[in-house]
């Protein structure tokens, strides 16, 4: 094995090693999820060298500099205020979802008008309109980190794969017998998973356009799904109150996560693939051990349905959004509630952390999005201007741009 070069990853903090083995170029990552500005870099390097043979004594100084760069990034003051940059009359009918590509240079919007549009973030100009679906375009995604392909899932029971560069349609995936409501690319961008109201999820080959597998087992609609960061597991959440964990190579179900007493609204893996968070209409979020399938902790406290859950990039914090109009931030390991985010006057349908995990963004039926301090729960900013419910919001990778999508047919870019 020969180390070729280092790549820096800011979110979550880590160092990627590019190395040669048997004539092939490969990569592996050193995850530094607990890194803080106060971490002793000498101790950390000693620890890394004990477990990683590629980091020799001659490379230690280089690694130290990389760790210092990560610490500098983590230690930067955050007082960014967001201002409305552009309001885009995006579609002639309400939007369904918005999503950024990895760099945040472009984003996509799905709509009831049966199209998906690609936008340039900097100029606010429309780059392409993806036309061809015969019903609502509901689920949309870029194949991040690559960002050269887009998938659209529709109420017309099909999913389409498009070129992000040209807007050309590569494949139409047919096979579901009801609406497609969720989808996700695997991290390698070789497979696409779709979840449908027909109670099944399907895996599709991006290259050939063929169906790879049907994941049968739920007894009601699949409403949410998520790959882990390795790409060897998929989790699906259903209206049958259960969550299923699937092994991707064999397309077999490994575990059924049973415990919720209401429909599942949201499912997500943490970064190191050890935990799964699930939100439910039973007013709770549960955290599960991804290996054993056992429930580790139940995050209670909301007075109405939990509509969305998410981990921060390091997988150490969980945020929940509820129909009770509040959001909460919990420690993933202990289940302790760190902060209650109170101020919205309507249900919160979407929640996400900024890449650093220091801010939380919420989208609400009260026509506003809010930015919160994750540690204290203090509301830092109210993003006002939409004239109807906001149901989608997202940060770019740097955390310095936000997009919000609303039932008022517009999306807004904030920076």
């Amino acid at each position: 094995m020969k180390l070729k070069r280092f790549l820096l990853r800011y979110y979550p903090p880590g160092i990627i090693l590019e190395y040669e083995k048997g004539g092939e170029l490969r990569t592996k990552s050193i995850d530094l999820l607990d890194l803080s500005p106060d971490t002793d870099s000498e101790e950390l390097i000693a620890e890394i060298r004990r477990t990683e043979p590629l980091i020799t004594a001659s490379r230690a100084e280089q690694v130290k500099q990389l760790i210092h760069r990560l610490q500098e990034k983590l230690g930067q003051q955050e007082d960014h205020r967001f201002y409305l940059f552009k309001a885009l009359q995006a579609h002639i009918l309400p939007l369904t979802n918005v999503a950024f590509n990895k760099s945040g240079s472009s984003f996509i919007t799905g709509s009831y008008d049966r199209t998906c549009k690609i936008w340039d973030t900097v100029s606010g100009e429309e780059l392409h309109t993806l036309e061809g679906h015969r019903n609502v375009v509901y689920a949309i995604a870029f194949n991040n980190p690559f960002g050269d392909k887009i998938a659209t899932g529709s109420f017309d029971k099909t999913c389409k794969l498009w070129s992000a560069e040209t807007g050309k349609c590569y494949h139409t995936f047919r096979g579901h017998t009801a609406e497609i409501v969720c989808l996700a690319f695997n991290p390698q961008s070789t497979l696409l998973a779709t979840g449908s109201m027909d109670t099944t999820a399907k895996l599709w080959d991006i290259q050939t356009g063929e169906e790879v597998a049907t994941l049968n087992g739920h007894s009601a609609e699949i409403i949410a799904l998520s790959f882990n960061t390795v790409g060897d597991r998929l989790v699906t959440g259903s209206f049958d109150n259960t969550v299923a964990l699937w092994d991707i190579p064999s397309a077999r179900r490994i575990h059924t996560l049973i415990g919720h007493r209401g429909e599942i609204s949201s499912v997500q893996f943490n970064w190191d693939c050890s935990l799964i968070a699930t939100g439910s209409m039973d007013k709770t979020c549960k955290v599960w051990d991804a290996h054993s399938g056992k429930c580790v902790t139940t995050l209670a406290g909301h007075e109405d349905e939990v509509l969305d859950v998410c981990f921060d990039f390091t997988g150490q914090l969980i945020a929940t959004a509820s129909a009770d109009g509040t959001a909460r931030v919990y420690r993933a390991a202990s289940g302790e509630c760190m902060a209650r985010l109170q101020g919205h006057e309507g249900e919160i349908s979407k929640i996400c952390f900024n890449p650093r995990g220091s801010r939380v963004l919420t989208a609400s039926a009260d026509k506003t999005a809010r930015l919160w301090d994750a540690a204290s729960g203090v509301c830092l900013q109210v993003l006002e201007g939409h004239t109807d419910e906001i149901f989608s919001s997202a940060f770019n990778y740097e955390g310095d741009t936000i997009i919000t999508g609303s039932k008022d047919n517009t999306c807004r870019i904030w920076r």
Side-chain angles (χ1 to χ4, degrees):
M1 288 201 299
K2 187 178 178 212
L3 184 61
K4 303 295 279 185
R5 64 172 179 158
F6 294 110
L7 300 167
L8 207 54
R9 187 188 65 212
Y10 285 120
Y11 309 115
I15 298 167
I16 314 293
L17 312 180
E18 240 181 41
Y19 65 101
E20 214 173 59
K21 188 179 182 184
E24 269 184 45
L25 198 62
R26 302 183 182 196
T27 62
K28 61 161 92 169
S29 68
I30 300 171
D31 292 340
L32 304 171
L33 304 184
D34 297 316
L35 188 70
S36 78
D38 310 322
T39 303
D40 184 321
S41 58
E42 297 290 351
E43 270 181 35
L44 184 55
I45 289 164
E47 193 182 318
I48 290 169
R49 285 197 55 203
R50 277 198 294 275
T51 55
E52 182 45 72
L54 283 168
I55 308 298
T56 54
S58 62
R59 296 284 194 168
E61 187 54 37
Q62 218 176 335
V63 173
K64 187 177 176 179
Q65 286 170 9
L66 293 173
I67 289 169
H68 284 163
R69 276 176 63 189
L70 289 172
Q71 287 178 306
E72 267 171 40
K73 188 84 169 172
L74 290 169
Q76 279 171 5
Q77 277 302 307
E78 276 194 293
D79 45 14
H80 186 85
R81 269 194 83 73
F82 289 89
Y83 296 94
L84 178 64
F85 170 64
K86 279 223 162 106
L88 307 175
Q89 191 65 38
H91 292 270
I92 52 172
L93 289 173
L95 281 77
T96 52
N97 268 305
V98 296
F100 273 112
N101 66 352
K102 169 84 186 265
S103 69
S105 61
S106 57
F107 66 92
I108 47 178
T109 53
S111 169
Y112 279 84
D113 70 9
R114 307 181 176 191
T115 71
C116 172
K117 292 188 179 188
I118 311 174
W119 304 85
D120 181 85
T121 312
V122 174
S123 66
E125 280 175 41
E126 183 184 317
L127 300 173
H128 296 288
T129 298
L130 309 181
E131 292 179 300
H133 281 296
R134 296 180 171 191
N135 208 328
V136 176
V137 173
Y138 192 75
I140 57 175
F142 275 101
N143 66 331
N144 291 337
F146 309 100
D148 63 329
K149 295 183 182 71
I150 291 163
T152 55
S154 169
F155 286 4
D156 68 9
K157 308 173 194 172
T158 73
C159 176
K160 288 178 184 284
L161 185 73
W162 313 79
S163 162
E165 310 297 318
T166 65
K168 172 177 164 262
C169 181
Y170 292 126
H171 301 298
T172 300
F173 302 123
R174 300 176 199 278
H176 281 297
T177 55
E179 298 90 336
I180 293 171
V181 291
C182 52
L183 53 77
F185 285 95
N186 70 341
Q188 296 80 11
S189 191
T190 54
L191 292 174
L192 181 73
T194 53
S196 168
M197 303 298 266
D198 66 12
T199 78
T200 73
K202 287 181 185 285
L203 300 175
W204 311 86
D205 186 303
I206 281 171
Q207 217 50 50
T208 65
E210 299 296 314
E211 181 182 317
V212 177
T214 297
L215 309 180
N216 284 305
H218 283 295
S219 59
E221 299 90 330
I222 291 177
I223 202 75
L225 51 74
S226 170
F227 278 101
N228 67 357
T229 48
V230 176
D232 63 346
R233 298 279 187 271
L234 180 80
V235 64
T236 54
S238 167
F239 277 177
D240 65 10
N241 302 2
T242 74
V243 175
L245 182 61
W246 309 84
D247 175 66
I248 294 304
S250 66
R252 304 226 327 242
R253 185 163 44 161
I254 306 170
H255 294 298
T256 303
L257 313 183
I258 296 171
H260 279 298
R261 297 181 176 188
E263 291 107 325
I264 308 300
S265 60
S266 179
V267 295
Q268 207 187 13
F269 273 99
N270 69 342
W271 175 267
D272 70 7
C273 314
S274 63
L275 298 175
I276 296 164
T278 57
S280 167
M281 303 301 181
D282 68 8
K283 308 179 188 177
T284 73
C285 166
K286 287 182 182 287
V287 185
W288 312 79
D289 181 300
H291 184 67
S292 68
K294 299 276 186 288
C295 180
V296 180
T297 182
T298 299
L299 310 178
H302 283 296
E303 290 166 14
D304 208 337
E305 301 166 347
V306 172
L307 301 176
D308 197 23
V309 301
C310 68
F311 283 100
D312 71 335
F313 249 147
T314 65
Q316 293 165 342
L317 301 177
I318 295 172
T320 58
S322 171
D324 68 12
T326 73
R328 289 171 179 245
V329 179
Y330 298 88
R331 290 193 198 283
S334 64
E336 171 204 350
C337 181
M338 280 171 55
R340 292 174 191 186
L341 318 183
Q342 291 170 310
H344 278 297
E345 289 166 18
E347 69 174 36
I348 304 171
S349 59
K350 270 285 193 308
I351 193 161
C352 63
F353 284 94
N354 70 340
R356 276 176 65 176
S358 57
R359 303 280 181 266
V360 173
L361 177 65
T362 51
S364 170
D366 69 8
K367 309 176 191 174
T368 72
R370 285 177 180 246
L371 192 67
W372 313 78
D373 182 275
S376 67
V378 170
C379 180
L380 302 170
Q381 212 179 333
V382 182
L383 306 181
E384 292 176 293
H386 281 295
T387 57
D388 206 339
E389 186 175 327
I390 303 175
F391 50 81
S392 199
S393 57
F395 278 104
N396 68 338
Y397 181 73
E398 271 297 322
D400 59 9
T401 307
I402 289 170
I403 38 173
T404 52
S406 166
K407 278 194 177 164
D408 66 11
N409 303 5
T410 73
C411 66
R412 288 174 175 246
I413 308 172
W414 312 79
R415 42 206 305 201

